[in-house]
Amino acid sequence: MGVNSNRVEHFACPETNLIIPAELVAMPPLQIHKVCLPPEQSTFQKLKHRVSEIFFPDDPLYRFKNQTWFMKLILALQFLFPVFQWGSEYNVSLLRSDVISGLTIASLAIPQGISYAKLANLPPIVGLYSSFVPPLIYAILGSSRHLGVGPVSIASLVMGSMLSEVVSPGEEPILYLQLAFTATFFAGLFQTSLGLLRLGFIIDFLSKATLVGFMAGAAVIVSLQQLKGLLGIVHFTSKMQIIPVISSVLNQKDEWSWQTIVMGFGFLLFLLTTRHISIRKPKLFWVSAAAPLTSVILSTLLVFLLKSKAHGIPVIGHLPKGVNPPSLNMLYFSGPHLAVAIKTGIVTGILSLTEGIAVGRTFAALKNYQVDGNKEMMAIGIMNIAGSCSSCYVTTGSFSRSAVNYNAGAQTAVSNIIMASAVVVTLMFLMPLFYYTPNVILAAIIITAVIGLIDYQAAYKLWKVDKLDFMACLCAFLGVLFVSVPLGLAIAVGVSVFKILLHVTRPNTMILGNIMGTQVYQNLIRYREASRVPSFLILAVESPIYFANSTYLQERILRWIREEEEWIKANNGSPLKCVILDMTAVTAIDTSGIDTICEIRKMLEQKSLKLVLANPVGSVTEKLDKSEILETFRLNGLYLSVGEAVAYISSLWKA
C-alpha cells in the first residue's frame, strides 16, 4: 500500500507525499501529515509545567533572569513594594497633580466614611479611622496609581447585616465592635493568603452577571434602609429584606418628621442633581465630588442655626478627637461568636477584593498600565490586617473615590497619602464641627452613592447576550431583596457554578460540512454554503471529555449517527460508511473519556462503520497512546485534519 499516513511519532514529523495505488495514479498526489506525540517528559516535569501554568501564568521571576545580585535585590524591592518602582522617578509636577486629586477625594472620603460606618452599624468615627491607616499602607504596597482606598457600601452593608443578625449593635456595642474588627482581621488574612498562594481564581466565581444582580439588590435594600433617616423614624426594623423594611416604614407613620423629610429630600435632590451633571459632563466631576462635603457643611450650619426649632432632627453628636486608637486587644479570637466573625470576614473579604481589583484594572486599562492581581490581593489583605489593629473595618478600592481620583488627575498612589493626611487633620482638629451634622444627610449621601450600583443597562445586555447569565443576575437580585444579603450572594454563586457544571456536563457538539472548493469544514447548520460529504458523518466536540460528560457525549454521538442515517434514507443519499470525530477543541481527556471513545468505536464496528479521529491535541494523543487505545486507530484511523481524513479514506474507497 505504500506509506502509512497516520503513523504516530514523537518529534520528527515531516510532511509525506502519500503513494497512491496504481488505480488512482492519474490523480494528483495527496499530502498527508503524520500525527505527532508531544515530547516525552518525566512526571516531575509534567507536574512542574502544570503547576506553573495554574499558579504562575505571568511568570513573576522572568525579570530576574541574567541579572546581577545587586540588580536582583533592587528588582525584588520593586516587586514587593511598588513604591520603589515609581518613587525613583517622582517629581514636583507629579506631586502637584497628586495633591489636587488627594484633597479632592478627601472631600468625598470624609462624609462617605461617616456614612458607610453608619451603614455597617458602627460608630461614625470608625469610618474616618478607616480612611487613614489603610490608604497609607496601600500607597506602599499597591500597584494601582488611581485606586482610592476606603470603606465601600457593599462590604459595609454585608458586615452590618451579618453581624447584626447575631449581636445587636445597640444593646452590645462593645461586642459588636470587637466582632467587626475581628471580621476585618480575617478578611485581611483571607485576602493575603489568596495573594501568597496565588489563588486569585477563586474570586472569579463571582461573575459579572452575579455582581450586577447582587449590587443592584443591595443598592435597593440600602436605599430603603435609609428611609429611616430620611423620614426621621426612631424605631425601625434591623432586618435587611424588602418586605420587613417596607412594612416598618408604613407601620411607623406616626414617627415621621416633616422637618427631617424636607431637609432629607431637599439635599437628596441636590446630590442627585450634581451627580447627573457630572455624568453628563465628565469635566465637571468636581461638582459631584464636592457635593457630599458641601451638603454636610450646609446641613450642619442649618441645624446649628435652627437648633432651637429643629428638635425633631437627630444629629451625630460627639465624635472623639485624635488618631486611630489601637484595637489589637479588641480582636475576638475565642467565644461563641468567633464563627460568625470568620464567616463575615471571608464574605466581606471576597466582595471587597473583587471590587478593589475590578476597579483597579478598569482605570489601569484607561491609562495603559498593568495591575498585578496577586499583588493587589496582598496589599488589600495587609492593609485590612493592619486596619483591624488600628480601629478600622473592611476597606478596599472604592469606585466612586477612584473615579474622582482619576478625573482629578492623580498620577501615583501619593494621592492616597494626601487624602489620609487630610483625614488626619480632620481627626485631630475638626471633629467638634460634626456635632450638629444631621443623620438625615448621611442617609442622603448613602442613597446617592449606592444608586449608581443599579446598572440596568448591564442587565439588559445580559438578557440580550446570555439568558443564563441574566438568570444568575436575577437570582442574585431577588435573593438579596427577599432572602438576605449573604444568602442572596450564595444563591448567585450557586447559579454561576451550576452554569459552569452545565457547560462541562453538556458540551456542544455539531455536525460539520465541507465548504465547496476548499479544505474548510464548518458547522452545517450555521453555514449554508457547507454541504454534507457523501458517506461521511463529521462531528465536532467543543469540550474536554471527562467523566462528567462522557456518558452524555456517547449518547449524543449515537443520536447524531441515527439522525444522519434517517436523513440519508429520506433523501436517498450514499450509505454512511465513516464517522470522523474532529477533536480540535477537545483540550483534555480522562480515563472515562478514553473508555467512551472505545465504546463508541466498538458500537460503530457492529454497524460496519469506521470511527476516525482528527487532530487530537498533544495531551489527548499522549493519553490515548499510553492507554494503548491509539494502536487500534493507527491503521487509517488517525489524521491531522478532517480534510486529510476525507481525502485519504475516499481514495482508499475508490481504489
Side-chain angles (χ1 to χ4, degrees), residues 53-367:
E53 288 296 311
I54 293 173
F55 297 104
F56 303 97
D58 54 343
D59 188 14
L61 301 179
Y62 77 95
R63 66 185 67 187
F64 295 92
K65 294 177 182 177
N66 304 320
Q67 299 288 349
T68 63
W69 280 107
F70 179 75
M71 197 61 196
K72 286 180 179 178
L73 178 62
I74 299 297
L75 291 173
L77 286 174
Q78 291 179 350
F79 180 78
L80 295 174
F81 304 100
V83 64
F84 287 105
Q85 195 167 349
W86 52 263
S88 59
E89 302 173 357
Y90 203 73
N91 55 45
V92 176
S93 175
L94 296 176
L95 178 62
R96 185 168 56 250
S97 299
D98 287 335
V99 167
I100 294 171
S101 57
L103 293 176
T104 305
I105 57 173
S107 68
L108 179 66
I110 292 169
Q112 273 193 352
I114 296 172
S115 303
Y116 290 159
K118 296 278 284 184
L119 190 59
N121 299 318
L122 293 168
I125 192 67
V126 175
L128 287 180
Y129 290 157
S130 302
S131 297
F132 169 44
V133 173
L136 294 177
I137 295 174
Y138 183 84
I140 298 171
L141 299 175
S143 59
S144 172
R145 303 172 196 166
H146 301 97
L147 201 67
V149 174
V152 293
S153 58
I154 294 298
S156 303
L157 169 68
V158 172
M159 176 174 283
S161 62
M162 292 184 72
L163 293 182
S164 60
E165 289 179 357
V166 179
V167 176
S168 171
E171 297 175 3
E172 299 177 279
I174 301 300
L175 178 59
Y176 187 90
L177 200 58
Q178 289 177 326
L179 293 180
F181 293 151
T182 308
T184 302
F185 175 82
F186 282 109
L189 190 65
F190 177 71
Q191 292 164 338
T192 307
S193 301
L194 289 183
L196 285 172
L197 301 175
R198 303 182 73 85
L199 297 175
F201 60 85
I202 290 177
I203 65 174
D204 292 338
F205 282 101
L206 284 174
S207 64
K208 181 180 178 181
T210 299
L211 289 175
V212 167
F214 173 77
M215 289 193 293
V220 172
I221 286 294
V222 169
S223 300
L224 291 175
Q225 275 279 343
Q226 301 317 304
L227 291 177
K228 172 187 177 182
L230 284 178
L231 301 177
I233 299 174
V234 178
H235 301 92
F236 200 74
T237 180
S238 60
K239 295 182 180 179
M240 300 297 291
Q241 296 85 27
I242 187 169
I243 294 176
V245 170
I246 293 177
S247 299
S248 184
V249 170
L250 297 177
N251 292 334
Q252 305 296 335
K253 286 183 180 178
D254 54 326
E255 294 185 1
W256 292 14
S257 168
W258 70 267
Q259 299 102 319
T260 305
I261 293 173
V262 170
M263 177 178 284
F265 281 95
F267 278 103
L268 180 61
L269 181 62
F270 167 70
L271 290 167
L272 291 175
T273 302
T274 57
R275 181 177 179 273
H276 180 71
I277 291 171
S278 295
I279 291 174
R280 293 291 297 271
K281 296 183 178 181
K283 290 184 179 180
L284 297 177
F285 69 91
W286 54 269
V287 174
S288 63
L293 187 59
T294 304
S295 300
V296 168
I297 294 171
L298 292 177
S299 61
T300 303
L301 286 173
L302 195 61
V303 171
F304 176 75
L305 294 174
L306 301 175
K307 56 185 176 182
S308 60
K309 300 179 181 179
H311 296 296
I313 302 178
V315 296
I316 291 178
H318 174 70
L319 292 176
K321 290 196 298 183
V323 295
N324 302 31
S327 56
L328 182 61
N329 60 329
M330 295 187 70
L331 296 182
Y332 183 95
F333 290 132
S334 62
H337 303 304
L338 179 60
V340 177
I342 295 174
K343 183 172 70 171
T344 304
I346 292 175
V347 173
T348 54
I350 291 175
L351 285 173
S352 59
L353 198 59
T354 304
E355 182 173 352
I357 292 177
V359 171
R361 285 176 174 168
T362 298
F363 290 103
L366 294 175
K367 285 292 185 179

Side-chain angles (χ1 to χ4, degrees), residues 11 83 112 169 199 265 330 374 405 435 442 473 594 637 639 652:
F11 277 97
V83 64
Q112 273 193 352
L199 297 175
F265 281 95
M330 295 187 70
N374 290 293
N405 200 26
Y435 184 91
L442 303 181
C473 173
I594 293 171
Y639 295 87
L652 292 179

